[in-house]
Amino acid sequence: MNGMSLHKKLEENSALLIFGILFVSSIGGLVQVLPSLYQESLRTASVNTRPYDAVELTGRDIYIREGCSVCHSQQIRPIIAEVERYGPYSRAGEFVYDRPFMWGSKRTGPDLHRIGGKYSDDWHYIHLIDPRSVVPASIMPGYPWLAKRDVKTTDIQRKMRALKTLGHPYEEADIENSPSALEGLKEIDALIRYLQMMGTSFVEAEEEVQS
Amino acid sequence: MATEQQYYYDDVVKRLVQFSVIWAVVAMAVGVYLAAELVWPTIDFGQPWLSFGRLRPLHTNGIIFGFGVSALMATGFYSVQRTCHVPLFAPRLAWFLCYGWQLLVFLGGISLLAGWNTSKEYAELEWPFDIAITVLWVCFAIVFFGTIAIRKIKPIYISNWFYGALIIVVAIVHIVNNLAIPVTFSKSYSLYAGAQDAIVQWWYGHNAVGFLLTGGFLGMMYYFLPKQAGKPIWSYKLSVVAFWAFTYSYIWAGPHHLHYNAIPEWVQSLGMVMSLVLLAPSWATMVNGIMTVSGAWEKLRTDPALKFIVLSLAFYGLATFEGPMMAIRSVNVVSHFTDWTIGHVHSGALGWNAMITYGTFYFLVPRLVGTELYSVKLANMHFWLALAGTMLYIVSMWAAGVSQGLLWLSLDSTGELSYSFRDIMASMAPYYGLRFIAGLIFLAGTLLMAYNFYMTTRSRETVKVKPPAVDPAFGVAS
């Protein structure tokens, strides 16, 4: 019985064909994806990496809602030019509280992983509302509505509880106080808080080692 | 259910073709608008739902799930009936799927404009839609595999393997990638975090491209190309070998989207090697298609449908060569994060997916209503618009991407960066302008096709076709 006559069985039996496709297509996932889900180094937080607080988490969810990751990556590759341009390259341990990951696939605008602390809050505020007032050649959209909308305080506890069940180490007191932490904030304020903390945990850790 | 039906269920095929054309027009128009926003950034008029970040997932989801999947369902149902010599299994379920899917794409699109967005590429729809996709996909599987199960022809034709692989593998990667904890109706958190989420996402993202935009459309090619060329597939053995090699190797290639990112190096290397391996089955299939047309070349002069399909194979060859090259780490270091990726995607999406679908529809639509195409002249015009639009698009994005990639990496003699990000970004303006024009040209062609189909089908009933008598040599013993 040669290969082709063996194959004749497959192509005359739909159940065998379905099984064959399932078997052949699952090998890659089982060998490549499944082991990385159990790799400890990919789920161990870097020294100073902590879960997002209520305001930062709210800011991050606004970043997700507005599709910022379509044009901005959060992933500095270990290449000299990138480290010079953006700062220390990204480590897996810095992202263990990122659900979902926001590494992106396109840089229409610059990478933002180490944007935290590079510009003032006021700069971000003006830039988000009208990017061309500070960067004349910018093609980024403006986000004027973020300055008008109040931050939603009703979901935050449910969000933090959901993340806690996934293993984010939130204290019960933090969850209890989260709505009051958001009180009076506009959406733009939360987004700026998120931008300002982004990528800062690694730099702090480095300084700690040096001192 | 389908026991005594004498005729093929082609009404549902026709309706799916109509929806597919509508989504093509809508989603491509959104694409053109997005291209314009990169030239004139203020044309979102400060409206959240017109903002680039919200429109972009609408464009990609509209093309993939609206245009692409509707076309795959239409052509899949058309060809599975004919290759099995039986009408569809569970025709009511097929109708439910037809309208259910359109409702899903429509409401899903609105949800994206409202900012319901998981941010995982091509899986942006939030959890209620993910569940709806899963349910509808099971309906798709029941109708498709059910029809194969009640077939009157013993061998299962190769196009059906590809449609089958599409249904099975997309179901698996969709479910695994979208596992999440719902918080509210419009918000959920991924079960995976950080680097692991990235690996799972690109295992999904790459195989949505692989089994939907490549495999599914290869199924279309394997049925409709031989039909139009009037010749059998050139090498049956080659198609068998290529199918299994394709199904095995595609699933490994996802990590090439994460080169030099914070994931283990062995995962990146494996992804790169398997991406290179993938060139073999991809090109084997292209050669098989081109050789099938060989000897029927004179038809290219008169048959716009065949012209589209042959051109689509050329772009398929181009994109499946370019893909593995971009998966090489030292090439990827330049191409990653640039507009080159956008160019690559569109050489596949415009040159391969859209063109083969257009060719197939030019074949299908007149046959479904039993008449000639309203205007061959318009179809020929469409062909040249599609070709010109695609070429201009990918050439402008290559130029943009390669220069972006090299300028970002460029260091002067003292080791300092040569150019600021702002200057490099500002230098993209002419390329983005050309891309906008390219998109307009391609969209204009698609509109001509929509008009041509409207004039061809209007006030005409679907032709009733009976399954032919079964050759006893291939029949299923009953």
Side-chain angles (χ1 to χ4, degrees), chain B residues 79-90:
Chain B
S79 60
V80 76
Q81 297 184 90
R82 280 153 180 85
T83 51
C84 293
H85 281 40
V86 284
L88 281 183
F89 176 76

Side-chain angles (χ1 to χ4, degrees), chain B residues 20 67 71 217 220 352-362 449:
Chain B
S20 175
F67 170 55
F217 285 82
M220 201 188 276
W352 158 242
N353 297 120
M355 298 252 200
I356 194 167
T357 306
Y358 292 167
T360 300
F361 283 179
Y362 276 120
M449 179 184 76

Side-chain angles (χ1 to χ4, degrees), chain A residues 127-145:
Chain A
H127 180 254
L128 280 168
I129 291 173
D130 181 12
R132 274 154 296 284
S133 64
V134 276
V135 183
S138 173
I139 53 171
M140 184 171 125
Y143 294 88
W145 60 91

Side-chain angles (χ1 to χ4, degrees), chain A residues 1 9 17 41 51 73 83 87-88 103 105 109 117 121 139 145 150 172-173 175 179 183 198:
Chain A
M1 192 183 247
K9 279 205 160 76
L17 182 66
S41 65
S73 57
V83 173
W103 296 357
S105 62
D121 288 357
I139 53 171
W145 60 91
D150 290 322
E172 197 50 42
I175 299 177
E183 213 57 60
M198 217 192 286

Side-chain angles (χ1 to χ4, degrees), chain B residues 306-374:
Chain B
L306 192 61
K307 254 194 277 203
F308 268 110
I309 294 201
V310 170
L311 184 69
S312 79
L313 276 173
F315 277 109
Y316 172 73
L318 175 79
T320 54
F321 175 77
E322 192 186 21
M325 292 308 114
M326 292 169 79
I328 299 171
R329 269 162 63 106
S330 47
V331 177
N332 191 272
V333 79
V334 177
S335 76
H336 197 47
F337 294 130
T338 72
D339 280 297
W340 188 352
T341 309
I342 313 296
H344 172 62
V345 169
H346 283 83
S347 72
L350 301 176
W352 158 242
N353 297 120
M355 298 252 200
I356 194 167
T357 306
Y358 292 167
T360 300
F361 283 179
Y362 276 120
F363 171 89
L364 205 53
V365 169
R367 272 172 183 73
L368 284 172
V369 292
T371 180
E372 296 287 308
L373 188 66
Y374 168 69

Side-chain angles (χ1 to χ4, degrees), chain A residues 4 7-8 10-33 35-43 57-58 60-61 64-71 73-82 84-86 90-93 95-111 119 123 130 132 134-145 149 152 155-160 162-163 165-166 168, chain B residues 37-39 41-42 44 46-48 51-54 56-57 112 114-121 145 148-149 151 154-156 160-161 164-165 168-169 172 181-184 187-203 211 236-237 240 243-244 247-248 251-255 257-264 266-267 270-271 332-334 336-339 341-342 404 407-411 415-417 419-422 424-426 432:
Chain A
M4 286 318 273
H7 193 268
K8 203 165 180 295
L10 261 176
E11 70 197 55
E12 290 184 353
N13 185 325
S14 51
L16 266 182
L17 182 66
I18 292 172
F19 176 77
I21 292 170
L22 263 176
F23 176 74
V24 167
S25 65
S26 57
I27 299 169
L30 292 176
V31 175
Q32 190 187 34
V33 177
S36 44
L37 291 184
Y38 288 93
Q39 190 163 336
E40 271 311 307
S41 65
L42 297 183
R43 22 202 265 172
L57 185 66
T58 305
R60 188 170 197 270
D61 288 341
I64 292 172
R65 186 188 74 197
E66 300 302 342
C68 304
S69 58
V70 164
C71 293
S73 57
Q74 292 186 15
Q75 183 69 205
I76 302 163
R77 297 177 293 173
I79 296 164
I80 294 172
E82 290 212 354
E84 277 199 37
R85 195 181 296 282
Y86 300 117
S90 307
R91 268 77 168 175
F95 300 102
V96 295
Y97 301 118
D98 281 19
R99 293 176 199 267
F101 80 113
M102 299 278 267
W103 296 357
S105 62
K106 179 71 179 27
R107 284 180 188 152
T108 305
D111 187 275
Y119 298 89
W123 186 91
D130 181 12
R132 274 154 296 284
V134 276
V135 183
S138 173
I139 53 171
M140 184 171 125
Y143 294 88
W145 60 91
R149 290 191 193 169
K152 214 172 162 190
D155 300 340
I156 188 65
Q157 289 185 328
R158 296 185 66 180
K159 285 182 176 180
M160 291 172 84
L163 290 172
T165 59
L166 289 167
H168 294 212
Chain B
E37 287 189 333
L38 288 179
V39 182
T42 54
D44 61 7
Q47 297 300 315
S51 183
F52 191 94
R54 296 200 190 181
R56 198 265 195 174
L112 290 170
W116 300 18
N117 180 356
T118 68
S119 91
K120 288 180 145 195
E121 279 182 86
F145 289 116
I148 289 181
R151 72 190 184 282
K154 212 168 180 192
I156 304 170
N160 295 321
W161 310 359
I168 294 168
V169 180
I172 295 171
I181 294 205
V183 179
T184 63
K187 179 71 191 169
S188 62
Y189 287 117
S190 171
L191 211 56
Y192 321 98
Q196 296 178 330
D197 194 35
I199 293 170
V200 173
Q201 155 61 20
W202 284 112
W203 171 73
F211 286 86
Y236 176 74
K237 280 188 186 177
V240 168
F243 172 78
W244 291 110
T247 307
Y248 171 77
I251 208 93
W252 297 78
H257 294 259
L258 297 166
H259 276 327
Y260 289 108
N261 286 17
I263 63 163
W266 69 269
V267 178
L270 207 51
N332 191 272
V333 79
V334 177
H336 197 47
F337 294 130
T338 72
D339 280 297
T341 309
I342 313 296
Q404 252 169 4
L407 293 175
W408 286 344
L409 295 174
S410 168
L411 301 174
E416 296 288 316
L417 293 170
Y419 308 97
S420 73
F421 189 92
R422 289 176 190 185
I424 301 169
M425 185 202 69
Y432 288 173

